[in-house]
């Protein structure tokens, strides 16, 4: 029997299975988990739909650590003919040029209450409330040239003997790349620019917001000045707010290094939708652009962030009932990803320790989707695994049953020694790495490399793994083309990479990169094998 498992193999280890309790609260101690409205409602979400969703999250997903309910973008835009994501003149703003919820969609926001009542209802069912915000100043406020609120006085901002307005702080040449008619940067070198941003985030805190997703400030729209100042404002608030920034494009590791200490989440890709090409691109991010490799090597996964830790975000999970981007309608169809593709995506998000933000309509959460996003083993990996690195696709050595019987006891003793003292190499991707000891690599042909443990195995022949290019079918297609990698397992293997016959290992038993003899019922273990049908 041979089993092909999806995509590339990542090596990982568990650091703990129990949440640590601290007397000092820390933001984002683990990758955050929750629900975001964008994949299922685009921008037309209403208060009724959102509160219904929050209730379902509390009932179905909160026991699995899903704690955030997030309203995505354009909650301030009127849902009327002519309004669309980059339209101008349909937003609801207050006298200070600050965006406020559209009262037709969010009736509890009338009389200046904003999201206060919505936040209270979300928090009453044990969840935390989040909103999406854009960079800087809205074009609508700029055109109206609204005054700027000085929250220290409660009046219009005054400096150098004059009152300051929106046109004094807006930078029109720094419009948002994907919403140029919507938003622009503000000049944070001006006291008036800083006062405007401060008035925004102090208002969010007054509403009871727990989570802010700050968009159009990263990647090609990088605005370090605004990110830096906003993080300073958040640290001074009397309410803890989890801070996430979103790029719209893939950033370089240098950008991420610059701002990771200022945020709790930062997106490392553009929008991810329910197309296999979008999912596969995330393997490219981790492999060729080396985002996760560089983050891991530089200790940027779970690194110091704003009042806590910082996590690279792969975007929402577009599974279950969805809409289409820019459709202007609510959920009306199932995800286009097949079940194997959904499992692969969920697995990669877990291994990369990305925040898990479900995007489908939680009110119509079917059992298949529910079991996918609440798989206990996958969620444990997402929260507790460490040193997660890509290891190229491998095959196990094939040996005779006679050899397995003759050497099983002796092999078990030798391999135990290997597992406890030398197998940290499995956290790297190349045998040429200067920290690798005891391993050798040899090219058998142009497509196949043999990686062997050089140390003595007593009378046993060397333990070897194999690294090769993808196989082709007779018509030239890649076998199991999931990012260009595959993992092959066989009953005939004597040695298993992180094998776990019949049962899941406990954290005590789980040694990073360990080898053990394979029984006739053993399978090579990658994360994918935790989903039964893969």
């Amino acid at each position: 029997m041979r089993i092909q498992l999806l995509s590339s193999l990542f090596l990982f280890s568990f650091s703990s299975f129990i949440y640590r309790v601290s007397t000092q609260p820390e933001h984002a101690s683990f990758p955050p988990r929750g629900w975001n409205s964008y994949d299922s409602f685009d921008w037309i979400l209403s208060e009724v739909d959102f509160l219904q969703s929050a209730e379902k999250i509390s009932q179905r997903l909160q026991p699995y650590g899903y704690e955030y309910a997030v309203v995505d973008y354009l909650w301030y835009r009127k849902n009327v003919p002519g309004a669309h994501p980059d339209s101008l003149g349909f937003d609801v703003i207050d006298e200070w040029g600050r965006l406020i919820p559209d009262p037709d969609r969010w009736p509890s926001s009338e009389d200046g209450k904003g999201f206060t009542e919505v936040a209270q209802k979300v928090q009453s069912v044990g969840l935390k409330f989040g909103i999406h915000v854009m960079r800087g100043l809205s074009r609508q406020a700029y055109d109206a040239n609204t005054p700027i609120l000085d929250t220290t006085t409660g009046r219009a901002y005054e400096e150098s003997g004059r009152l300051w307005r929106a046109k004094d702080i807006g930078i029109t040449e720094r419009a948002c790349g994907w919403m140029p008619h919507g938003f622009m940067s503000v000049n944070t070198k001006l006291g008036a620019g800083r006062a405007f941003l401060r008035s925004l985030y102090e208002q969010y805190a007054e509403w009871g917001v727990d989570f802010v997703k700050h968009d159009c400030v990263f990647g090609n729209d990088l605005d370090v000045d605004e990110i830096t100042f906003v993080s300073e404002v958040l640290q001074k608030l009397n309410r803890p707010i989890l801070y996430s920034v979103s790029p719209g494009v893939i950033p370089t590791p240098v950008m991420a290094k610059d701002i990771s200490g200022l945020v709790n989440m930062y997106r490392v890709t553009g929008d991810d939708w329910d197309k296999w090409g979008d999912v596969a691109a995330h393997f490219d991010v981790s492999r060729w652009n080396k985002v996760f490799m560089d983050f891991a090597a530089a200790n940027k996964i779970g690194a110091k962030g704003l009042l806590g830790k910082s996590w690279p975000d792969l975007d929402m999970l577009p599974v279950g009932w969805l809409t289409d981007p820019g459709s202007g309608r609510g959920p009306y169809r199932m995800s286009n990803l097949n079940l194997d593709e959904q499992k692969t995506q969920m697995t990669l998000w877990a291994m990369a320790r990305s925040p898990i933000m479900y995007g489908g309509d939680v009110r119509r959460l079917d059992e298949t989707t529910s079991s996918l996003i609440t798989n206990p083993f996958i969620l444990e990996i997402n929260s507790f695994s460490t040193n997660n690195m890509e290891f190229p696709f491998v095959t196990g050595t094939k040996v005779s049953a006679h050899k397995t019987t003759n050497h099983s006891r002796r092999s078990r003793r030798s391999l135990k020694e290997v597992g406890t003292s030398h197998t940290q190499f499995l956290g790297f991707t190349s045998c040429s790495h200067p920290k690798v000891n005891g391993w050798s690599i040899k090219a058998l042909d142009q497509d196949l490399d043999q990686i062997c443990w050089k140390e003595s195995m007593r009378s046993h022949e060397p333990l070897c793994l194999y690294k090769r290019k993808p196989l082709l079918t007779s018509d030239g297609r890649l076998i199991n083309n999931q990012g260009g990698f595959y993992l092959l397992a066989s009953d005939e293997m004597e040695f298993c990479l992180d094998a776990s016959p019949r049962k899941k290992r406990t954290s005590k038993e789980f040694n990073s990169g360990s080898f053990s003899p394979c029984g006739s019922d053993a399978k090579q273990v990658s994360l994918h094998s935790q989903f039964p049908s893969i």
Side-chain angles (χ1 to χ4, degrees):
M1 178 184 71
R2 290 188 174 183
I3 302 170
Q4 281 193 336
L5 302 177
L6 302 181
S7 70
S8 57
L9 172 65
F10 278 68
L11 278 302
F12 58 90
S13 64
F14 286 120
S15 59
S16 173
F17 282 89
I18 302 174
Y19 283 91
R20 295 178 177 86
V21 178
S22 173
T23 57
Q24 299 293 327
E26 179 183 60
H27 285 198
S29 298
F30 306 94
R33 206 171 292 163
W35 176 80
N36 180 289
S37 64
Y38 179 59
D39 289 350
S40 45
F41 289 96
D42 194 26
W43 65 272
I44 65 166
L45 179 69
S46 70
E47 182 172 334
V48 171
D49 290 331
F50 181 71
L51 291 178
Q52 288 176 352
S53 300
E55 185 69 31
K56 292 297 182 182
I57 297 166
S58 175
Q59 296 169 358
R60 300 284 302 276
L61 298 179
Q62 188 183 18
Y64 298 92
Y66 288 79
E67 59 178 341
Y68 291 94
V70 182
V71 178
D72 212 85
Y73 78 148
L74 302 184
W75 37 266
Y76 36 82
R77 187 152 298 176
K78 290 185 174 294
N79 185 14
V80 296
H84 57 80
D86 194 33
S87 60
L88 178 60
F90 295 94
D91 295 341
V92 183
I93 60 176
D94 67 10
E95 61 180 309
W96 307 109
R98 299 178 300 182
L99 297 159
I100 56 177
D102 169 23
D104 291 332
R105 289 192 287 142
W106 304 89
S108 71
S109 68
E110 291 184 338
D111 301 323
K113 290 182 289 188
F115 275 125
T116 302
E117 290 190 11
V118 171
Q120 290 173 350
K121 290 178 180 178
V122 169
Q123 291 153 1
S124 71
V125 295
L127 301 177
K128 296 179 181 178
F129 174 64
I131 59 173
H132 173 288
V133 302
M134 293 292 292
R135 178 181 81 203
L137 176 74
S138 74
R139 181 76 199 207
Q140 189 166 320
Y142 180 89
D143 290 344
N145 202 21
T146 55
I148 296 165
L149 174 64
D150 183 348
T151 58
T152 63
T153 65
R155 299 190 298 271
Y157 185 83
E158 185 176 357
E159 185 181 1
S160 301
R162 71 181 181 96
L163 297 178
W164 291 69
R165 292 179 173 270
K167 288 189 176 181
D168 297 320
I169 64 171
I171 306 176
T172 55
E173 60 270 23
R174 283 279 294 155
C176 176
W178 60 272
M179 198 187 288
H181 296 101
F183 295 85
M184 66 185 75
S185 288
V186 299
N187 189 341
T188 58
K189 292 180 173 60
L190 297 174
R194 296 192 297 272
F196 176 75
L197 292 175
R198 187 182 301 111
S199 73
L200 294 181
Y201 286 85
E202 288 183 358
Q203 183 180 62
Y204 302 151
E206 291 171 4
W207 287 347
V209 171
D210 301 300
F211 176 101
V212 168
K213 177 182 175 182
H214 195 183
D215 211 339
C216 214
V217 288
F218 203 22
N220 288 342
D221 286 299
L222 182 66
D223 194 330
V224 174
D225 291 339
E226 182 160 330
I227 293 171
T228 301
F229 183 71
V230 167
S231 69
E232 293 173 359
V233 172
L234 292 175
Q235 292 181 68
K236 296 176 182 177
L237 296 177
N238 58 6
R239 178 178 191 82
I241 294 179
L242 201 69
Y243 184 37
S244 170
V245 299
S246 188
V249 296
I250 298 173
T252 67
V254 173
M255 290 181 184
K257 182 178 183 294
D258 289 341
I259 60 90
S260 62
L262 303 174
V263 300
N264 301 111
M265 294 166 53
Y266 47 102
R267 287 267 301 282
V268 294
T269 63
D271 282 353
D272 173 71
W273 277 91
D274 56 328
K275 298 178 290 187
W276 175 248
D278 286 358
V279 178
H282 292 80
F283 287 96
D284 297 339
V285 168
S286 61
R287 179 181 309 115
W288 297 321
N289 294 319
K290 297 184 178 180
V291 173
F292 286 117
M293 297 300 224
D294 289 350
F295 286 167
N299 295 318
K300 289 301 176 184
I301 297 178
K304 180 181 179 181
L306 182 64
L307 300 177
K309 293 186 177 179
S310 184
W311 306 94
D313 183 12
L314 290 181
D315 204 5
M316 286 82 75
L317 290 165
V319 295
W321 279 91
L322 309 172
T323 187
D324 286 306
S327 67
R329 62 186 294 189
Y332 68 95
R333 64 172 179 83
M334 283 295 289
S335 174
N336 289 320
L337 297 172
N338 65 41
L339 185 56
D340 283 348
E341 291 169 339
Q342 293 178 35
K343 291 175 178 178
T344 300
Q345 183 177 30
M346 183 68 185
T347 298
L348 179 60
W349 265 231
M351 292 186 296
R353 302 204 70 189
S354 166
I356 303 292
M357 292 289 173
Y358 177 53
D361 186 355
V362 73
R363 301 170 306 175
R364 303 181 66 177
L365 183 61
D366 60 279
E367 288 304 319
T368 299
T369 305
S370 177
S371 64
L372 174 74
I373 64 175
T374 63
N375 183 287
F377 186 76
I378 295 299
L379 295 181
E380 284 178 351
I381 290 166
N382 179 247
S383 289
F384 302 113
S385 57
T386 60
N387 301 318
N388 299 4
M389 296 274 189
E390 182 183 39
F391 188 76
F393 44 93
V394 297
T395 64
T397 54
K398 296 180 181 179
V399 296
S400 67
H402 175 72
K403 192 170 294 185
T404 299
T405 301
N406 287 346
H407 299 282
S408 60
R409 181 180 301 174
R410 190 171 294 173
S411 300
R412 183 176 292 110
R413 182 167 57 251
S414 299
L415 287 171
K416 183 177 181 181
E417 294 170 1
V418 171
T420 57
S421 59
H422 298 287
T423 58
Q424 293 303 312
F425 158 69
L426 295 178
F428 301 104
T429 60
S430 171
C431 287
S432 62
H433 194 286
K435 293 184 180 179
V436 173
N437 294 311
W439 293 83
S440 65
I441 186 168
K442 178 175 69 175
L444 300 184
D445 56 41
Q446 62 179 2
D447 295 328
L448 183 65
D449 291 338
Q450 184 184 59
I451 303 171
C452 295
W453 177 251
K454 294 187 297 184
E455 301 299 323
S456 171
M457 299 292 289
R458 298 178 183 263
S459 61
H460 201 284
E461 60 188 48
L463 171 64
C464 298
L465 307 174
Y466 293 88
K467 168 186 171 185
R468 63 171 302 153
K469 293 182 179 179
L471 299 177
L472 298 177
T473 61
S474 58
D475 59 358
R477 293 179 300 163
L478 289 175
I479 292 178
N480 209 12
N481 183 20
Q482 312 272 352
F485 290 107
Y486 74 96
L487 175 65
L488 187 65
S490 169
D491 293 347
E492 302 173 19
M493 299 177 189
E494 180 175 0
F495 299 111
C496 291
L497 179 63
D498 284 331
S500 179
R502 289 198 180 95
K503 70 181 183 70
K504 187 178 71 178
R505 294 183 182 188
T506 66
S507 57
K508 185 175 181 180
E509 295 169 332
F510 205 111
N511 294 317
S512 177
S514 63
F515 289 90
S516 62
C518 286
S520 60
D521 61 340
K523 298 176 181 178
Q524 286 289 84
V525 171
S526 77
L527 301 187
H528 308 295
S529 64
Q530 299 304 319
F531 290 121
S533 63
I534 290 187

